Each structure stands twice: as structure tokens, then as C-alpha cells.
Amino acid sequence: MIRTRKLLAGASLVAFAAFTGTAAQAAGTASGTTITNTATVNYQVGGVAQTAVNASTSFTVDRKISLTVSDASASTTTVAPGQTAAVTAFTVTNTSNSVLDLGLSVAQQAGGAAPHGGTDNFDVTAPALFVDTNGNGVYDAGTDTAVTFLDEVAADASKTVFVVANVPAGRVNGDIAAVTLTAQARDGGSAGVQGAVSTETAGANTAGVDTVFADTAGATDANRDGQFSAKDDYTVAAAALTVTKISKVISDPFNGAANPKLIPGAVVEYCIQVANAAGGTAATSVAITDVVPAQTTYSAAFGIFLNGTVTAGSCNADGVAGGSYVAPTVSGTIASIAAGATRTLYFRATIN
């Protein structure tokens, strides 16, 4: 009798899977579901049909705990030195067949290979976790909620979790900070209250709802431990500026522009070259100031020129008039200097 029931139950399960396979979710049948299978035997006595005999068996579906965490963007987060509220995003999914609370924690990598290439060599500061409250996939300060766990996550449901941190000033181009987000299965407590850490059922199957860990190993956690972890990183894109100041004599009162000498009355052109190293990012709002030497007089007739270029170390006369002079200081702002580019500010003065 026992063997017959197992065969019937197996056939019923195969038929059910074939019928519902295209619509089934990854989590499978919800834990706590009672599955009943009934066998019917019809027979006759002396050619007369008798009352059918039935036999049923039931069991309760146990809880399979599985979860995943993944880097939501699959790429590094580019940040600037001194940036605050730098954001990287993860997707946390409950692939269990039961509602779970998911405890969250963030850790910083201590050196070694970063997940998107390069080597981890610094830590961000004050990392905090936020859940994507409005579901738009973008961190919205003041809208998204700070969390330490995800509350009552339904089977097959996903949540976006943001790690929001600050980048120390002084970091240079190419520096990398890797972070790890770990989610841990917790029994669903009451709404708004984090449940206790889920535990796997030891020993033989019981009549109640047992728990089986079915998660795989994540970035830093083990196989079947009721947790899952994933890594992401921040990569610094910085501007590296160098400044060179050169001067050249333009003319003097006796020789004019033909072989002029640096004598009183001579006109001198000062050129400030600002170079942004290749491989970084653009420097913006580059403000330049230069105090005109007391032994010279600023040439208001010539003016100030900005955003000029350089060829073989020499300044070209291709800037745009701008800037200002408030004695004794010349100043001007260049809107942007791209990585690998050099731009200039130049003006003229007469030797007293």
C-alpha cells in the first residue's frame, strides 16, 4: 500500500509540473502549503458495482531558503576626491518559497583585487544603507529610507539597496574602494520588526514546516549558510593639474619687436599654463590668480586672455578675452580643462 501511494504521488507531481511549468516562479510552492493526494479503488462483487474505496495522504511543503545579491549596475561607480553621498546600488532578491526578513550589512574590502578590475587601496567613510523606497532605481536623498534590514520580502521579490558613502579628500585618479553587501535570511517577524536569524532544521523531516538552506556561495559567504554577498566598488576619477608660468619679452623702447631686451619700458608677456594629466577626468571652474610684480605695470590696453593653447611648451596667441584686473591681481576662470589638455591665461605688463 505504501509503495502504491508513492507511485501515485510521483505521477501526480509530474503531471502538475508539466501543466504549470511555464508559469512557475523560481521560489516554487509556498512553504506551509498542504498537498493532498487521493487514490480511488472501484470494484465489483458478482458483477455488481460496489462503493468505491478511497485512501488519501497529505504532507506540508517545507521552507527552502535561498537569496541572491547582485551589483545592480555591473560596473564601478566613478567618484571624485572629497565627494559626499557617493552611491552604488545592489539588487537583493528573495528566491525562497516563503516571506523573509533580510538582514543587511556592508563591509569594506582590505586590499586585493577589486570586483571591476584594479586593486582596492582605500576605504570610503560613513557607509550607510538605503532602500529604494519609490522603486525608480535612483538614490533620492530625503525620499529613500535608511535601513538595516528589508522587511517582509515576498517570495521572488527584489529590492534595490543603495550604499551611500563619502570619498576622502586627497584620493588620486584610479584609487579604488571595494564594498561588500551581505543579506542574511531572517524569519519574518511582525511588520517593521526584524525577525530572528533563520536556522536550518536538523535531523529527520518533521510533520511541521522544516527549513532547508538552498543558497549558493556569494562573494564572501559559504554555500548553504542562509546568506548571500556581492561586491561593488568606487573608482576615483581625479584631475591632476600642474602649473607652469613663463614670460617673454615682446618689445622694448629702443629695439621695438626686433631682438627686444628686458630694460625699463619693455613689454613682457606672462603666460600661465595649466595642464591636466591624461587618464583622469576634466577639471572644472579652474580659477587662476596672479599678482602683478610691483616693478611692472599691468597693460590694460592688452587685457587678459583665457583658454589659450600650448604648442611644444610655448603659449599660442589664441585665447579669448576675459578675466579681470583688480590691482595688483590678475584673475580669470577657465570653465573646463579636459584630461590630457593644457589651457592658458596670459597678459602683459611693462617694466617700470
Short mmCIF file of all heavy atoms in Angstrom, two decimals, residues 23-90:
data_model
loop_
_atom_site.label_atom_id
_atom_site.label_comp_id
_atom_site.label_asym_id
_atom_site.label_seq_id
_atom_site.Cartn_x
_atom_site.Cartn_y
_atom_site.Cartn_z
N ALA A 23 4.47 28.78 -15.90
CA ALA A 23 4.05 29.89 -15.03
C ALA A 23 4.72 29.84 -13.67
O ALA A 23 4.57 30.76 -12.89
CB ALA A 23 2.53 29.86 -14.86
N ALA A 24 5.44 28.76 -13.37
CA ALA A 24 6.00 28.60 -12.03
C ALA A 24 7.07 29.65 -11.77
O ALA A 24 7.83 30.03 -12.64
CB ALA A 24 6.61 27.21 -11.88
N GLN A 25 7.14 30.14 -10.54
CA GLN A 25 8.16 31.08 -10.15
C GLN A 25 9.35 30.34 -9.60
O GLN A 25 9.28 29.15 -9.25
CB GLN A 25 7.60 32.04 -9.09
CG GLN A 25 6.47 32.94 -9.63
CD GLN A 25 5.93 33.83 -8.53
OE1 GLN A 25 5.54 33.36 -7.48
NE2 GLN A 25 5.92 35.13 -8.80
N ALA A 26 10.48 31.02 -9.50
CA ALA A 26 11.71 30.39 -9.04
C ALA A 26 11.56 29.85 -7.63
O ALA A 26 12.15 28.84 -7.26
CB ALA A 26 12.86 31.40 -9.10
N ALA A 27 10.76 30.54 -6.79
CA ALA A 27 10.63 30.12 -5.40
C ALA A 27 9.90 28.81 -5.25
O ALA A 27 10.10 28.08 -4.29
CB ALA A 27 9.90 31.21 -4.62
N GLY A 28 9.03 28.46 -6.17
CA GLY A 28 8.27 27.22 -6.08
C GLY A 28 7.06 27.34 -5.16
O GLY A 28 6.66 28.42 -4.74
N THR A 29 6.46 26.21 -4.83
CA THR A 29 5.27 26.17 -3.99
C THR A 29 5.57 26.77 -2.62
O THR A 29 6.60 26.48 -2.01
CB THR A 29 4.78 24.73 -3.83
OG1 THR A 29 4.56 24.17 -5.13
CG2 THR A 29 3.49 24.68 -3.03
N ALA A 30 4.67 27.61 -2.14
CA ALA A 30 4.89 28.31 -0.87
C ALA A 30 5.01 27.34 0.28
O ALA A 30 4.30 26.32 0.35
CB ALA A 30 3.75 29.28 -0.62
N SER A 31 5.92 27.63 1.20
CA SER A 31 6.06 26.79 2.39
C SER A 31 4.78 26.84 3.21
O SER A 31 4.06 27.85 3.21
CB SER A 31 7.24 27.26 3.24
OG SER A 31 7.00 28.55 3.76
N GLY A 32 4.48 25.75 3.89
CA GLY A 32 3.26 25.67 4.67
C GLY A 32 2.06 25.18 3.88
O GLY A 32 1.00 24.89 4.45
N THR A 33 2.21 25.08 2.55
CA THR A 33 1.12 24.57 1.72
C THR A 33 0.91 23.09 2.00
O THR A 33 1.86 22.31 2.08
CB THR A 33 1.44 24.77 0.22
OG1 THR A 33 1.62 26.16 -0.04
CG2 THR A 33 0.33 24.21 -0.66
N THR A 34 -0.36 22.67 2.15
CA THR A 34 -0.68 21.26 2.34
C THR A 34 -1.01 20.65 0.98
O THR A 34 -1.88 21.14 0.26
CB THR A 34 -1.88 21.06 3.28
OG1 THR A 34 -1.54 21.60 4.56
CG2 THR A 34 -2.24 19.60 3.43
N ILE A 35 -0.30 19.60 0.61
CA ILE A 35 -0.54 18.90 -0.65
C ILE A 35 -1.18 17.55 -0.32
O ILE A 35 -0.62 16.74 0.43
CB ILE A 35 0.75 18.70 -1.44
CG1 ILE A 35 1.31 20.07 -1.85
CG2 ILE A 35 0.51 17.83 -2.67
CD1 ILE A 35 2.60 20.01 -2.62
N THR A 36 -2.37 17.32 -0.85
CA THR A 36 -3.13 16.10 -0.60
C THR A 36 -3.28 15.31 -1.89
O THR A 36 -3.58 15.88 -2.94
CB THR A 36 -4.52 16.42 -0.03
OG1 THR A 36 -4.36 17.17 1.17
CG2 THR A 36 -5.31 15.15 0.25
N ASN A 37 -3.07 14.00 -1.79
CA ASN A 37 -3.24 13.11 -2.93
C ASN A 37 -4.18 11.98 -2.53
O ASN A 37 -4.00 11.35 -1.49
CB ASN A 37 -1.87 12.54 -3.35
CG ASN A 37 -1.98 11.63 -4.56
OD1 ASN A 37 -2.22 10.45 -4.39
ND2 ASN A 37 -1.81 12.18 -5.74
N THR A 38 -5.25 11.77 -3.34
CA THR A 38 -6.25 10.76 -3.02
C THR A 38 -6.29 9.70 -4.11
O THR A 38 -6.38 10.02 -5.30
CB THR A 38 -7.65 11.38 -2.90
OG1 THR A 38 -7.61 12.37 -1.87
CG2 THR A 38 -8.70 10.33 -2.56
N ALA A 39 -6.24 8.44 -3.69
CA ALA A 39 -6.37 7.30 -4.61
C ALA A 39 -7.77 6.69 -4.44
O ALA A 39 -8.28 6.59 -3.32
CB ALA A 39 -5.31 6.25 -4.32
N THR A 40 -8.38 6.31 -5.55
CA THR A 40 -9.73 5.71 -5.53
C THR A 40 -9.69 4.32 -6.14
O THR A 40 -9.12 4.13 -7.23
CB THR A 40 -10.72 6.59 -6.30
OG1 THR A 40 -10.74 7.89 -5.71
CG2 THR A 40 -12.11 5.99 -6.29
N VAL A 41 -10.31 3.36 -5.47
CA VAL A 41 -10.41 1.98 -5.98
C VAL A 41 -11.88 1.63 -6.19
O VAL A 41 -12.69 1.68 -5.25
CB VAL A 41 -9.76 0.97 -5.00
CG1 VAL A 41 -9.96 -0.45 -5.52
CG2 VAL A 41 -8.29 1.29 -4.82
N ASN A 42 -12.26 1.35 -7.43
CA ASN A 42 -13.60 0.89 -7.78
C ASN A 42 -13.56 -0.63 -8.02
O ASN A 42 -12.60 -1.12 -8.64
CB ASN A 42 -14.11 1.61 -9.03
CG ASN A 42 -14.35 3.09 -8.79
OD1 ASN A 42 -15.29 3.46 -8.12
ND2 ASN A 42 -13.48 3.94 -9.34
N TYR A 43 -14.58 -1.35 -7.57
CA TYR A 43 -14.60 -2.80 -7.77
C TYR A 43 -16.05 -3.30 -7.82
O TYR A 43 -17.00 -2.58 -7.52
CB TYR A 43 -13.83 -3.51 -6.65
CG TYR A 43 -14.45 -3.38 -5.28
CD1 TYR A 43 -15.17 -4.45 -4.72
CD2 TYR A 43 -14.33 -2.20 -4.54
CE1 TYR A 43 -15.76 -4.33 -3.47
CE2 TYR A 43 -14.90 -2.07 -3.29
CZ TYR A 43 -15.62 -3.15 -2.76
OH TYR A 43 -16.19 -3.03 -1.53
N GLN A 44 -16.19 -4.57 -8.24
CA GLN A 44 -17.50 -5.23 -8.33
C GLN A 44 -17.48 -6.52 -7.53
O GLN A 44 -16.45 -7.16 -7.37
CB GLN A 44 -17.84 -5.54 -9.79
CG GLN A 44 -17.99 -4.32 -10.66
CD GLN A 44 -18.30 -4.67 -12.11
OE1 GLN A 44 -18.26 -5.85 -12.50
NE2 GLN A 44 -18.63 -3.66 -12.91
N VAL A 45 -18.66 -6.90 -7.11
CA VAL A 45 -18.87 -8.20 -6.48
C VAL A 45 -20.05 -8.85 -7.21
O VAL A 45 -21.16 -8.30 -7.21
CB VAL A 45 -19.18 -8.09 -4.97
CG1 VAL A 45 -19.51 -9.47 -4.39
CG2 VAL A 45 -17.99 -7.48 -4.23
N GLY A 46 -19.79 -10.03 -7.86
CA GLY A 46 -20.84 -10.71 -8.62
C GLY A 46 -21.40 -9.85 -9.73
O GLY A 46 -22.61 -9.91 -10.02
N GLY A 47 -20.53 -9.02 -10.30
CA GLY A 47 -20.96 -8.15 -11.38
C GLY A 47 -21.67 -6.89 -10.93
O GLY A 47 -22.11 -6.10 -11.76
N VAL A 48 -21.78 -6.71 -9.65
CA VAL A 48 -22.47 -5.53 -9.12
C VAL A 48 -21.42 -4.54 -8.59
O VAL A 48 -20.58 -4.91 -7.75
CB VAL A 48 -23.47 -5.90 -8.01
CG1 VAL A 48 -24.12 -4.66 -7.46
CG2 VAL A 48 -24.49 -6.89 -8.52
N ALA A 49 -21.49 -3.32 -9.06
CA ALA A 49 -20.55 -2.30 -8.60
C ALA A 49 -20.73 -2.02 -7.12
O ALA A 49 -21.85 -1.90 -6.64
CB ALA A 49 -20.74 -1.02 -9.39
N GLN A 50 -19.64 -1.93 -6.44
CA GLN A 50 -19.64 -1.66 -5.01
C GLN A 50 -19.17 -0.23 -4.74
O GLN A 50 -18.65 0.46 -5.62
CB GLN A 50 -18.73 -2.66 -4.29
CG GLN A 50 -19.08 -4.11 -4.56
CD GLN A 50 -20.47 -4.47 -4.04
OE1 GLN A 50 -20.76 -4.30 -2.86
NE2 GLN A 50 -21.35 -4.95 -4.93
N THR A 51 -19.36 0.21 -3.52
CA THR A 51 -18.92 1.56 -3.15
C THR A 51 -17.40 1.66 -3.24
O THR A 51 -16.68 0.79 -2.73
CB THR A 51 -19.37 1.88 -1.72
OG1 THR A 51 -20.80 1.77 -1.65
CG2 THR A 51 -18.94 3.28 -1.31
N ALA A 52 -16.96 2.70 -3.91
CA ALA A 52 -15.53 2.90 -4.08
C ALA A 52 -14.84 3.09 -2.74
O ALA A 52 -15.41 3.60 -1.78
CB ALA A 52 -15.28 4.14 -4.96
N VAL A 53 -13.59 2.67 -2.72
CA VAL A 53 -12.76 2.83 -1.51
C VAL A 53 -11.68 3.86 -1.81
O VAL A 53 -11.01 3.79 -2.85
CB VAL A 53 -12.13 1.48 -1.11
CG1 VAL A 53 -11.24 1.66 0.11
CG2 VAL A 53 -13.21 0.46 -0.86
N ASN A 54 -11.53 4.84 -0.92
CA ASN A 54 -10.54 5.89 -1.11
C ASN A 54 -9.45 5.84 -0.04
O ASN A 54 -9.70 5.40 1.10
CB ASN A 54 -11.20 7.28 -1.04
CG ASN A 54 -12.24 7.46 -2.11
OD1 ASN A 54 -12.03 7.09 -3.25
ND2 ASN A 54 -13.40 8.01 -1.75
N ALA A 55 -8.30 6.31 -0.42
CA ALA A 55 -7.20 6.47 0.54
C ALA A 55 -6.46 7.75 0.21
O ALA A 55 -6.18 8.03 -0.96
CB ALA A 55 -6.26 5.27 0.51
N SER A 56 -6.20 8.56 1.20
CA SER A 56 -5.53 9.84 0.98
C SER A 56 -4.26 9.95 1.81
O SER A 56 -4.13 9.31 2.86
CB SER A 56 -6.46 11.01 1.36
OG SER A 56 -7.61 11.01 0.55
N THR A 57 -3.35 10.78 1.31
CA THR A 57 -2.16 11.12 2.09
C THR A 57 -1.87 12.60 1.88
O THR A 57 -2.13 13.16 0.82
CB THR A 57 -0.94 10.28 1.68
OG1 THR A 57 0.15 10.57 2.55
CG2 THR A 57 -0.52 10.56 0.24
N SER A 58 -1.38 13.24 2.90
CA SER A 58 -1.08 14.67 2.82
C SER A 58 0.28 14.96 3.43
O SER A 58 0.76 14.21 4.30
CB SER A 58 -2.15 15.48 3.58
OG SER A 58 -3.42 15.29 3.02
N PHE A 59 0.88 16.01 2.94
CA PHE A 59 2.11 16.48 3.57
C PHE A 59 2.18 18.00 3.44
O PHE A 59 1.48 18.61 2.63
CB PHE A 59 3.35 15.82 2.96
CG PHE A 59 3.56 16.10 1.50
CD1 PHE A 59 4.21 17.25 1.06
CD2 PHE A 59 3.09 15.20 0.54
CE1 PHE A 59 4.40 17.50 -0.29
CE2 PHE A 59 3.28 15.44 -0.81
CZ PHE A 59 3.93 16.59 -1.23
N THR A 60 3.02 18.61 4.28
CA THR A 60 3.19 20.07 4.29
C THR A 60 4.50 20.43 3.62
O THR A 60 5.55 19.84 3.90
CB THR A 60 3.18 20.60 5.73
OG1 THR A 60 1.95 20.25 6.35
CG2 THR A 60 3.34 22.11 5.76
N VAL A 61 4.44 21.40 2.68
CA VAL A 61 5.65 21.84 1.98
C VAL A 61 6.57 22.57 2.96
O VAL A 61 6.14 23.47 3.68
CB VAL A 61 5.29 22.76 0.80
CG1 VAL A 61 6.56 23.29 0.13
CG2 VAL A 61 4.43 22.01 -0.21
N ASP A 62 7.82 22.16 2.99
CA ASP A 62 8.80 22.78 3.87
C ASP A 62 9.35 24.07 3.26
O ASP A 62 9.07 24.42 2.11
CB ASP A 62 9.95 21.79 4.14
CG ASP A 62 9.51 20.63 5.02
OD1 ASP A 62 8.62 20.84 5.87
OD2 ASP A 62 10.04 19.52 4.85
N ARG A 63 10.13 24.78 4.05
CA ARG A 63 10.65 26.07 3.65
C ARG A 63 12.05 25.92 3.06
O ARG A 63 12.96 25.42 3.72
CB ARG A 63 10.68 27.03 4.84
CG ARG A 63 11.10 28.44 4.49
CD ARG A 63 10.94 29.39 5.65
NE ARG A 63 11.80 29.04 6.78
CZ ARG A 63 12.13 29.87 7.76
NH1 ARG A 63 11.64 31.10 7.76
NH2 ARG A 63 12.90 29.49 8.75
N LYS A 64 12.21 26.36 1.82
CA LYS A 64 13.51 26.37 1.15
C LYS A 64 14.01 27.81 1.17
O LYS A 64 13.40 28.70 0.56
CB LYS A 64 13.38 25.89 -0.30
CG LYS A 64 14.69 25.89 -1.07
CD LYS A 64 14.45 25.79 -2.57
CE LYS A 64 13.97 27.10 -3.14
NZ LYS A 64 13.89 27.09 -4.62
N ILE A 65 15.12 28.05 1.86
CA ILE A 65 15.65 29.41 1.96
C ILE A 65 16.76 29.60 0.94
O ILE A 65 17.74 28.85 0.91
CB ILE A 65 16.14 29.70 3.38
CG1 ILE A 65 14.95 29.91 4.30
CG2 ILE A 65 17.07 30.92 3.40
CD1 ILE A 65 15.29 30.31 5.70
N SER A 66 16.56 30.59 0.10
CA SER A 66 17.54 30.93 -0.93
C SER A 66 17.43 32.42 -1.21
O SER A 66 16.33 32.98 -1.19
CB SER A 66 17.28 30.12 -2.20
OG SER A 66 18.19 30.45 -3.21
N LEU A 67 18.55 33.08 -1.45
CA LEU A 67 18.54 34.51 -1.72
C LEU A 67 19.75 34.87 -2.56
O LEU A 67 20.73 34.11 -2.62
CB LEU A 67 18.53 35.32 -0.43
CG LEU A 67 19.71 35.17 0.53
CD1 LEU A 67 19.81 36.40 1.43
CD2 LEU A 67 19.55 33.93 1.41
N THR A 68 19.67 36.00 -3.25
CA THR A 68 20.80 36.47 -4.04
C THR A 68 20.99 37.97 -3.84
O THR A 68 20.05 38.69 -3.53
CB THR A 68 20.61 36.21 -5.54
OG1 THR A 68 19.46 36.93 -6.01
CG2 THR A 68 20.43 34.72 -5.83
N VAL A 69 22.23 38.39 -4.01
CA VAL A 69 22.58 39.81 -4.03
C VAL A 69 23.45 40.03 -5.26
O VAL A 69 24.35 39.23 -5.53
CB VAL A 69 23.37 40.23 -2.77
CG1 VAL A 69 23.72 41.72 -2.81
CG2 VAL A 69 22.57 39.92 -1.51
N SER A 70 23.18 41.08 -6.01
CA SER A 70 23.98 41.35 -7.20
C SER A 70 24.23 42.83 -7.35
O SER A 70 23.46 43.67 -6.87
CB SER A 70 23.27 40.81 -8.45
OG SER A 70 22.02 41.46 -8.64
N ASP A 71 25.33 43.15 -8.01
CA ASP A 71 25.68 44.53 -8.33
C ASP A 71 24.66 45.03 -9.35
O ASP A 71 24.57 44.51 -10.46
CB ASP A 71 27.10 44.54 -8.90
CG ASP A 71 27.52 45.89 -9.45
OD1 ASP A 71 26.75 46.85 -9.35
OD2 ASP A 71 28.63 45.97 -10.00
N ALA A 72 23.89 46.04 -9.00
CA ALA A 72 22.79 46.48 -9.86
C ALA A 72 23.27 47.09 -11.17
O ALA A 72 22.56 47.03 -12.18
CB ALA A 72 21.91 47.48 -9.12
N SER A 73 24.45 47.68 -11.19
CA SER A 73 24.92 48.36 -12.41
C SER A 73 25.94 47.54 -13.19
O SER A 73 26.21 47.84 -14.35
CB SER A 73 25.54 49.71 -12.05
OG SER A 73 26.68 49.52 -11.23
N ALA A 74 26.52 46.54 -12.55
CA ALA A 74 27.54 45.69 -13.18
C ALA A 74 28.76 46.50 -13.64
O ALA A 74 29.48 46.09 -14.54
CB ALA A 74 26.96 44.91 -14.35
N SER A 75 29.00 47.64 -13.01
CA SER A 75 30.17 48.46 -13.34
C SER A 75 30.54 49.27 -12.10
O SER A 75 29.76 49.40 -11.16
CB SER A 75 29.89 49.39 -14.52
OG SER A 75 28.85 50.30 -14.21
N THR A 76 31.75 49.81 -12.12
CA THR A 76 32.20 50.61 -10.99
C THR A 76 31.44 51.93 -10.90
O THR A 76 30.85 52.39 -11.88
CB THR A 76 33.72 50.87 -11.10
OG1 THR A 76 34.21 51.39 -9.86
CG2 THR A 76 34.02 51.85 -12.23
N THR A 77 31.46 52.53 -9.73
CA THR A 77 30.88 53.86 -9.53
C THR A 77 32.01 54.88 -9.56
O THR A 77 32.92 54.82 -8.73
CB THR A 77 30.13 53.93 -8.19
OG1 THR A 77 29.04 53.01 -8.21
CG2 THR A 77 29.60 55.34 -7.94
N THR A 78 31.96 55.79 -10.51
CA THR A 78 33.00 56.80 -10.64
C THR A 78 32.74 57.94 -9.67
O THR A 78 31.64 58.49 -9.62
CB THR A 78 33.06 57.34 -12.07
OG1 THR A 78 33.30 56.24 -12.97
CG2 THR A 78 34.17 58.35 -12.23
N VAL A 79 33.77 58.30 -8.90
CA VAL A 79 33.62 59.33 -7.87
C VAL A 79 34.78 60.32 -7.95
O VAL A 79 35.80 60.05 -8.59
CB VAL A 79 33.56 58.71 -6.46
CG1 VAL A 79 32.31 57.86 -6.30
CG2 VAL A 79 34.82 57.87 -6.18
N ALA A 80 34.60 61.45 -7.29
CA ALA A 80 35.63 62.48 -7.23
C ALA A 80 36.20 62.56 -5.82
O ALA A 80 35.51 62.24 -4.85
CB ALA A 80 35.05 63.83 -7.64
N PRO A 81 37.46 62.96 -5.67
CA PRO A 81 38.01 63.15 -4.33
C PRO A 81 37.16 64.14 -3.54
O PRO A 81 36.77 65.18 -4.04
CB PRO A 81 39.41 63.72 -4.60
CG PRO A 81 39.74 63.27 -5.99
CD PRO A 81 38.44 63.28 -6.73
N GLY A 82 36.86 63.80 -2.29
CA GLY A 82 36.07 64.67 -1.43
C GLY A 82 34.57 64.61 -1.68
O GLY A 82 33.82 65.34 -1.02
N GLN A 83 34.12 63.75 -2.60
CA GLN A 83 32.69 63.68 -2.90
C GLN A 83 31.92 63.11 -1.71
O GLN A 83 32.35 62.16 -1.05
CB GLN A 83 32.46 62.79 -4.13
CG GLN A 83 31.00 62.67 -4.54
CD GLN A 83 30.82 61.85 -5.81
OE1 GLN A 83 31.76 61.69 -6.59
NE2 GLN A 83 29.64 61.32 -6.02
N THR A 84 30.76 63.69 -1.43
CA THR A 84 29.88 63.17 -0.39
C THR A 84 28.70 62.47 -1.04
O THR A 84 28.33 62.75 -2.18
CB THR A 84 29.37 64.29 0.54
OG1 THR A 84 28.67 65.26 -0.24
CG2 THR A 84 30.53 64.96 1.26
N ALA A 85 28.10 61.56 -0.29
CA ALA A 85 26.91 60.81 -0.75
C ALA A 85 27.15 60.15 -2.10
O ALA A 85 26.35 60.25 -3.01
CB ALA A 85 25.69 61.72 -0.80
N ALA A 86 28.30 59.46 -2.22
CA ALA A 86 28.57 58.67 -3.42
C ALA A 86 27.78 57.37 -3.32
O ALA A 86 27.78 56.71 -2.28
CB ALA A 86 30.07 58.38 -3.53
N VAL A 87 27.12 57.00 -4.41
CA VAL A 87 26.13 55.91 -4.36
C VAL A 87 26.54 54.75 -5.25
O VAL A 87 26.92 54.93 -6.41
CB VAL A 87 24.75 56.42 -4.81
CG1 VAL A 87 23.72 55.30 -4.77
CG2 VAL A 87 24.30 57.58 -3.93
N THR A 88 26.43 53.54 -4.71
CA THR A 88 26.48 52.33 -5.51
C THR A 88 25.26 51.49 -5.15
O THR A 88 24.75 51.58 -4.03
CB THR A 88 27.79 51.55 -5.31
OG1 THR A 88 27.85 50.47 -6.22
CG2 THR A 88 27.90 51.00 -3.90
N ALA A 89 24.78 50.70 -6.09
CA ALA A 89 23.49 50.01 -5.92
C ALA A 89 23.62 48.51 -6.05
O ALA A 89 24.40 48.00 -6.87
CB ALA A 89 22.47 50.54 -6.93
N PHE A 90 22.81 47.79 -5.25
CA PHE A 90 22.73 46.34 -5.30
C PHE A 90 21.27 45.92 -5.45
O PHE A 90 20.36 46.63 -5.00
CB PHE A 90 23.28 45.72 -4.01
CG PHE A 90 24.76 45.90 -3.81
CD1 PHE A 90 25.26 47.04 -3.20
CD2 PHE A 90 25.65 44.92 -4.21
CE1 PHE A 90 26.62 47.21 -3.00
CE2 PHE A 90 27.02 45.07 -4.01
CZ PHE A 90 27.51 46.21 -3.40
#
